[in-house]
Amino acid sequence: MLGTSLSAAASHASGLLAADLDDLGLRLGEAGGTLRVWSSAADAVELVVFDDVDADWIVDTRPMSAVGGGVWSVDSELLRPGTRYAVRVDGPQGPRNMFNRNTLLVEPYSRGVTDNGIGEWRSVAVQGHFDWGGVTKPATPLDRTVIYEAHVKGLTKRHPAVPPALHGTYAGLAHPAMIEHLHSLGVTAVQLLPVHAFGNELRLLQHGLTNYWGYNTLNFFTPHAPYATAESRAAGPEAVLREFKGMVRLLHEAGLEVILDVVYNHTAEEGIGGPRSSLRGIDNSAYYRQGADGAYIDVTGCGNAVDTSTDAAARLVLDSLRYWARDVQIDGFRFDLAVTLGRDRNHTFTPEHPLLQAILEDDALRDVKKIAEPWDVGLGGWQTGNFGPGWSEWNDRYRDRVRNFWLSDVDYARRASTAPVGIGGFATRLAGSSNTFTAERGPLASVNFVTAHDGFTLRDLVSYDVKHNLGNGEQNRDGADTNRSFNHGAEGPTDDVRILTTRRRAMRNLLGTLLFSAGVPMLTAGDEFGRTQRGNNNAYCHDSPLTWLSWDHAPWQEDLAAHVRELTRLRRENPALRPRRFARSGEHTPSASVMEWYDEHGRTMSHEKWTNPAHRTLQYVATSTPEEEALNRILLMIHGNEEPIDVTLPEIEGVFRYVPLWSSADEHPSADVEICAPGDTVSLSPTAMRLFRAE
């Protein structure tokens, strides 16, 4: 059966790579341009060219010719850089079709789009010429990667050292002040929330809100113009693209990678009754998942799911990725609701899906980072751990277990005298989630995170028991109800010194766990300073100071940022914290970390202590098996109860001393180093971590 499945997948893969689907979109030449558009169900396709000044004044229309394979083509001397154009498509009526010969549609492969001022979109011809000046991609290895998830606008909108003209822009992100901040944090890659051109949902506009996050894609090839400077926007899409590429070049010069959060699973056309701006009017039956009656099969929760079981839709996604990786020099992609992309004709997920395989095998994409959000909302939509080799995945199991251990378990213990579970599950996540990812894929398949754009910020996670989303206009129904958060005794802001002290330590424990865990860590922008959204765990619709980063910080916030800098430095300097492979018992596995586990008495952990809810203290020793770096061994102490404890350092063959490196009990990272010996006793405060180098 598996052979049959793989054979079918290979056949489909050859279909999406068929020559008929090559060179779709607009190709410019000296005498004009050639436009190729795919629509298998259309009866007629027409090119519409607009005036250079008036985006509603049609200066020419030309019929496009069917040239085989569902492709329609036309040549026009009017297609030149800066030309605004659209297509009109006519075809049969039926439950799966949405043709209207009068509707002006965005051509799917457009390198530029513009608004005509009344909510309608036009494609714009773009050359895309850019001098990269010899700058190449940093190519940071996965084991050394630290991801910083950020919003282009929110990151720089209020930064005092960024010139006002650059606030909230691509150019602002590449400003020296921002690069200095990123370098100081020790991150290696900036992962940007969606920057493909996107639109606003009508429902949000009616509530006076906006789609701030950008998960509502209008076009897969065009950078979102509102994130460009006013000067670039006034000059048009060519200048917007040039500013975007300039941002990438400057970040690359600084050794920083750029990863894009890409939304190929649905589009801004929404469900039936939504806008007909592009794919719906070109070939609704081929681009969106539908039943025979035309009803959309919605596995994304957004009304329409792109049907990547058709060759043309899958190829559209693949060609978009190729463009961004090759022409725009993007280093990686985080695929929103990636399970949708891997659903077959029966709407069932398979990791052998032709599109997923093509993404792995394509020469332009072979070396880019590929990160799946391994779920959607359809049947069988939760697939964490089930993407194949070559993929990394957002690890929600890691997120939940780490939050439980440091927050909701502690909350439970306050009310029930003991936590609900022991430390075993937490340790598994700390060591790389080998129960989720196969040995072939290893710990780097796991993108570890405690917070993300979606959900509570780090500060809110330790300050609120429940969400506070009334400002979203949905009566607090939106956003996750299960957050595994803990307010530590007061909901939201408080002046209670004891509560504030405990919250700060909890944040340090969460950050320490994240950056000392095997896998690829992802920080959320602003968490390094303890940013708050006042308990809103779904702030997708707020383009305001609620979501923009503040750069005016209290002393404790600067202390927290100092901890982040220290944690990333320690991760960088200690390869035992970032293994590439899982160790195997009795074998020498290069670039793995051999792990040993001890209790608070310095004795090997017993099975009973792994599972005992009353026992939540652990000493974790990891020893590297180096290929390129020197031998390294660390000891990490973890104490998950709210009572202090004395811990005896283990006596290990070849270890003569323990050098303290970091403690979550310190408000500011301490420079004091008191060398310890095996058998010495170390005092741990309630709910705390300490890291040592074992020498």
Side-chain angles (χ1 to χ4, degrees):
M1 180 65 88
L2 179 59
T4 303
S5 173
L6 291 175
S7 175
S11 175
H12 185 179
S14 65
L16 74 90
L17 297 175
D20 286 338
L21 297 175
D22 289 347
D23 298 323
L24 292 177
L26 177 61
R27 297 294 182 272
L28 295 174
E30 293 183 1
T34 299
L35 179 66
R36 285 165 52 87
V37 175
W38 184 90
S39 177
S40 65
D43 293 332
V45 183
E46 181 180 53
L47 167 66
V48 179
V49 179
F50 299 95
D51 179 67
D52 290 341
V53 177
D54 187 344
D56 288 326
W57 181 11
I58 297 173
V59 297
D60 191 40
T61 60
R62 298 195 184 181
M64 300 179 69
S65 302
V67 295
V71 176
W72 300 75
S73 181
V74 67
D75 297 324
S76 173
E77 72 284 357
L78 297 178
L79 291 172
R80 59 188 187 278
T83 297
R84 287 179 282 196
Y85 66 99
V87 293
R88 290 195 287 221
V89 185
D90 197 8
Q93 299 301 304
R96 290 171 55 87
N97 294 324
M98 296 289 288
F99 294 113
N100 186 321
R101 62 186 302 174
N102 298 313
T103 303
L104 295 162
L105 302 167
V106 171
E107 181 263 304
Y109 282 73
S110 303
R111 302 306 199 254
V113 295
T114 188
D115 190 335
N116 71 345
I118 57 172
E120 295 179 350
W121 299 93
R122 307 285 184 254
S123 297
V124 180
V126 168
Q127 281 184 315
H129 294 162
F130 186 78
D131 181 8
W132 289 97
V135 176
T136 58
K137 297 181 180 182
T140 308
L142 262 182
D143 65 302
R144 289 183 170 271
T145 297
V146 178
I147 297 171
Y148 186 75
E149 189 198 38
H151 188 284
V152 169
K153 183 174 183 178
L155 189 60
T156 64
K157 178 66 176 174
R158 308 174 82 184
H159 198 297
V162 173
L166 306 186
H167 280 169
T169 68
Y170 301 123
L173 176 55
H175 186 272
M178 284 309 311
I179 289 175
E180 180 183 359
H181 176 66
L182 297 170
H183 276 166
S184 76
L185 288 181
V187 300
T188 67
V190 181
Q191 181 173 299
L192 300 177
L193 267 65
V195 295
H196 289 173
F198 63 86
N200 283 300
E201 297 91 332
L202 179 60
R203 179 188 61 80
L204 290 178
L205 294 175
Q206 290 171 340
H207 284 84
L209 300 170
T210 185
N211 189 319
Y212 174 67
W213 287 350
Y215 293 86
N216 198 43
T217 310
L218 176 76
N219 176 267
F220 296 143
F221 290 82
T222 304
H224 191 56
Y227 293 161
T229 58
E231 181 181 3
S232 293
R233 296 198 307 272
E238 188 86 56
V240 171
L241 178 59
R242 189 163 51 247
E243 181 179 324
F244 190 99
K245 290 180 176 179
M247 172 195 72
V248 175
R249 183 178 66 185
L250 288 170
L251 291 171
H252 282 178
E253 282 182 342
L256 295 163
E257 292 188 313
V258 181
I259 299 172
L260 300 187
D261 193 335
V262 286
V263 187
Y264 294 115
N265 57 80
H266 74 284
T267 75
E269 291 183 309
E270 304 181 48
I272 295 296
R276 178 171 44 205
S277 56
S278 187
L279 302 181
R280 176 173 288 146
I282 292 173
D283 199 331
N284 186 62
S285 63
Y287 280 116
Y288 294 118
R289 294 186 179 275
Q290 301 170 67
D293 60 355
Y296 281 166
I297 297 171
D298 180 17
V299 297
T300 68
C302 300
N304 58 345
V306 173
D307 188 0
T308 54
S309 72
T310 68
D311 293 335
R315 181 63 177 270
L316 176 64
V317 173
L318 185 65
D319 285 346
S320 170
L321 292 168
R322 287 169 166 172
Y323 169 72
W324 289 97
R326 183 181 54 230
D327 292 29
V328 194
Q329 292 290 289
I330 294 303
D331 304 279
F333 302 93
R334 180 267 188 189
F335 294 83
D336 181 64
L337 302 184
V339 170
T340 299
L341 305 183
R343 289 184 180 271
D344 60 19
R345 288 184 173 88
N346 297 317
H347 317 296
T348 301
F349 173 77
T350 170
E352 290 83 27
H353 190 285
L355 174 59
L356 300 184
Q357 294 304 306
I359 291 170
L360 291 175
E361 296 166 4
D362 192 278
D363 287 341
L365 303 175
R366 197 177 304 276
D367 296 326
V368 303
K369 292 176 171 64
K370 307 165 190 73
I371 302 169
E373 182 183 38
W375 52 79
D376 66 13
V377 301
L379 187 65
W382 188 70
Q383 294 290 337
T384 303
N386 293 333
F387 281 71
W391 290 90
S392 296
E393 301 176 35
W394 270 27
N395 189 349
D396 56 319
R397 291 178 173 181
Y398 175 93
R399 174 201 63 199
D400 293 349
R401 178 63 73 175
V402 171
R403 288 186 180 190
N404 281 349
F405 184 81
W406 291 117
L407 300 175
S408 58
D409 286 0
V410 176
D411 178 24
Y412 185 96
R414 282 192 184 183
R415 292 179 283 108
S417 76
T418 187
V421 296
I423 202 169
F426 174 83
T428 301
R429 298 301 165 193
L430 185 73
S433 297
S434 61
N435 60 343
T436 300
F437 301 101
T438 63
E440 180 184 13
R441 299 180 67 191
L444 298 179
S446 178
V447 174
N448 299 328
F449 66 106
V450 176
T451 66
H453 66 276
D454 185 4
F456 280 143
T457 66
L458 181 68
R459 180 175 171 183
D460 289 354
L461 198 62
V462 304
S463 305
Y464 293 90
D465 278 352
V466 296
K467 64 187 181 183
H468 295 264
N469 295 357
L470 285 174
N472 297 355
E474 300 182 47
Q475 292 76 51
N476 212 39
R477 293 192 299 263
D478 64 304
D481 292 316
T482 302
N483 296 285
R484 296 173 168 84
S485 60
F486 179 32
N487 68 20
H488 292 87
E491 187 72 357
T494 180
D495 295 326
D496 189 307
V497 173
R498 179 185 57 81
I499 291 175
L500 293 174
T501 299
T502 307
R503 286 177 178 178
R504 292 195 296 271
R505 190 171 63 249
M507 285 190 277
R508 295 192 293 269
N509 286 330
L510 291 165
L511 289 167
T513 302
L514 176 65
L515 287 160
F516 292 159
S517 293
V520 181
M522 186 188 80
L523 286 163
T524 304
D527 278 353
E528 69 269 30
F529 295 122
R531 181 177 76 91
T532 181
Q533 288 178 170
R534 302 197 296 273
N536 191 320
N537 75 348
N538 191 35
Y540 75 103
C541 54
H542 294 279
D543 185 356
S544 71
L546 180 72
T547 51
W548 304 336
L549 268 64
S550 170
W551 297 89
D552 183 14
H553 302 134
W556 73 265
Q557 293 177 292
E558 295 293 347
D559 287 340
L560 187 64
H563 274 282
V564 173
R565 290 191 286 269
E566 187 72 2
L567 292 167
T568 57
R569 181 185 67 81
L570 291 169
R571 181 181 181 86
R572 186 167 59 248
E573 294 178 356
N574 291 277
L577 292 169
R578 41 182 175 83
R580 299 176 189 171
R581 301 179 181 93
F582 291 126
R584 298 183 180 181
S585 179
E587 298 181 19
H588 176 82
T589 305
S591 291
S593 287
V594 177
M595 299 166 188
E596 302 167 86
W597 310 91
Y598 300 92
D599 63 18
E600 68 272 27
H601 304 296
R603 296 191 290 261
T604 300
M605 282 282 284
S606 66
H607 175 75
E608 188 275 333
K609 285 193 173 180
W610 279 120
T611 57
N612 184 355
H615 182 266
R616 289 164 60 84
T617 306
L618 175 70
Q619 298 189 79
Y620 162 50
V621 176
T623 305
S624 68
T625 51
E627 290 180 277
E628 297 99 9
E629 300 179 79
L631 178 71
N632 174 241
R633 180 182 283 150
I634 60 91
L635 180 147
L636 181 62
M637 286 183 180
I638 298 155
H639 177 53
N641 284 329
E642 289 200 293
E643 296 294 332
I645 191 171
D646 289 335
V647 179
T648 301
L649 289 163
E651 298 185 19
I652 301 172
E653 183 178 355
V655 174
F656 302 99
R657 66 177 191 168
Y658 293 96
V659 181
L661 300 177
W662 180 79
S663 171
S664 69
D666 296 333
E667 287 285 350
H668 187 88
S670 174
D672 294 333
V673 176
E674 184 177 340
I675 307 299
C676 302
D680 284 356
T681 297
V682 174
S683 295
L684 283 183
S685 64
T687 55
M689 301 175 68
R690 288 195 70 179
L691 181 72
F692 298 80
R693 186 169 56 248
E695 299 177 343

